[in-house]
Amino acid sequence: MTDTAAPPPPVPPEPPAPHYPREPGFLLTVHRYLLAGSLPARAAILAALTMLLTIPLGLIGGVISDRQTYQEQAKQNIVTAWGGPQTFTGPMLVLPYKTDGTTSRDGTLTLLPERLTIDGKILPEQRRRGLFAMAVYSTTLDVVAEFQTRAFQDFLSDGRRSNWQQARLEIGVTEPRSIDAASIDVNGQTVEWSPGSGKLLSSLTASIGSDTLATAETITVRFRLSLAGSTNFALTPLGRRTEATITSPWPSPSFTGRYLPITQSVGADGFSAKWTTSHLGRPYSQLWDSRSVNNDPSSQTVIDSSFGVTLLTPIDAYRETDRAIKYGILFIGLTLAAGLLVETATGTRPHAMQYVLIGLALCIFYLLLLSLSEQIGFGGAYLVSATAVVMQATLYSWTLHRRRGPALAFGTVLAGLYAGLYSLLQLEDVALLAGSLLLFAVLSLAMWFTRNLHRAAPV
């Protein structure tokens, strides 16, 4: 009998590797929540997405800040080349004198006008540096000043000797490089201006020394002066009675300084303002003595008594874009809420990424607005940017639902939000009130359209 070997036992199969369920990604988790049919869950996810979109909004806000910095640098370059804010001071009648005694001392008396009349016309224009523009101006002043020399005579009656051969007129401006002055009429005689000492109150001088003026009780001065400046123009009330009138085609003035105009007219074609002041409201007298500490005011004291006008640019493109982006979080939240209402009404459940893309499109709107406003102005840029985003969102909504009605409804809501935002940006004094009323109206509409959601969707 032949022995045969028994077959080897079969090798047991290896046990299958343990299967660990794959953890869903963030977007997949979000998508499952959105598909779950729970309205509170979907609303919570969209609220979180709205807050997440503040990150790109902040980045765009940083771009706006950078552009504003570049704008300020460009404006400073324009001011350096053209001229800054101007303050006109004058005219003043300066009379040198000497004091008799053991030690002869020299001094000067500065007499201010008894009556001072100034008629000014400001002609604004825009200067550009690259993409940036700034409002500057040229102004022409017609000045009439009347001096009463009796104050000199009263002061010189106690041993002081005047030197009328060196008498002079002085005027001062804060930006003397832009002065263009014609000749002066002094009691019917013509004299010319010459560069002054360079001090704030003596940018130009005119020698009027004459023996005939020494006996004149009244000295009347007439001249025309042209200046260039930017942003602000001011006058100092040197007269015992000062009357000043300023007109300009600039539609947005802001009256500033120690005195406000007694009459003013502001319209779309420009403004006109008139000031009338008295010496009683000033911190300095009509006669200054250089030898008297208490009766020789500093230049800054005189300048601080000025009044004038600032040429405002109410809202430029960068400020409007910056204001618009401040409403960004609210704007995105309302748009996503409108999308949630559309999906509730249609029964569709979009993917989370689709909501992200819509939110990013709303963020890109502000970048489009900023870049286009530098080229075509804020109004045109807003129209183009809003139209592009509304059309993009409407077409995208149609591809999601394949239903014309919900897509058009979503686009109409988005267009209405853009129109409301633009209206808010054009308001100034009542912007807060209008914004509050708009939010109240939107919330009321949301309450009305969601009044039956508890019947249509589980809690």
Side-chain angles (χ1 to χ4, degrees), residues 26 29-31 33-34 37-53 333 336-337 340 343 352 355:
F26 172 74
T29 302
V30 172
H31 184 50
Y33 272 110
L34 291 174
S38 173
L39 181 62
R42 298 197 306 276
I45 292 297
L46 291 183
L49 176 60
T50 301
M51 299 306 297
L52 190 62
L53 289 172
L336 296 183
L340 184 60
E343 76 164 69
Y355 276 102

Side-chain angles (χ1 to χ4, degrees), residues 361 364-365 368 372 381-395 414 418:
I364 292 297
F365 161 77
L368 287 174
L372 289 175
Y382 192 98
L383 179 61
V384 173
S385 303
T387 302
V389 173
V390 169
M391 293 179 61
Q392 182 188 54
T394 302
L395 290 175
L414 189 57
Y418 277 121

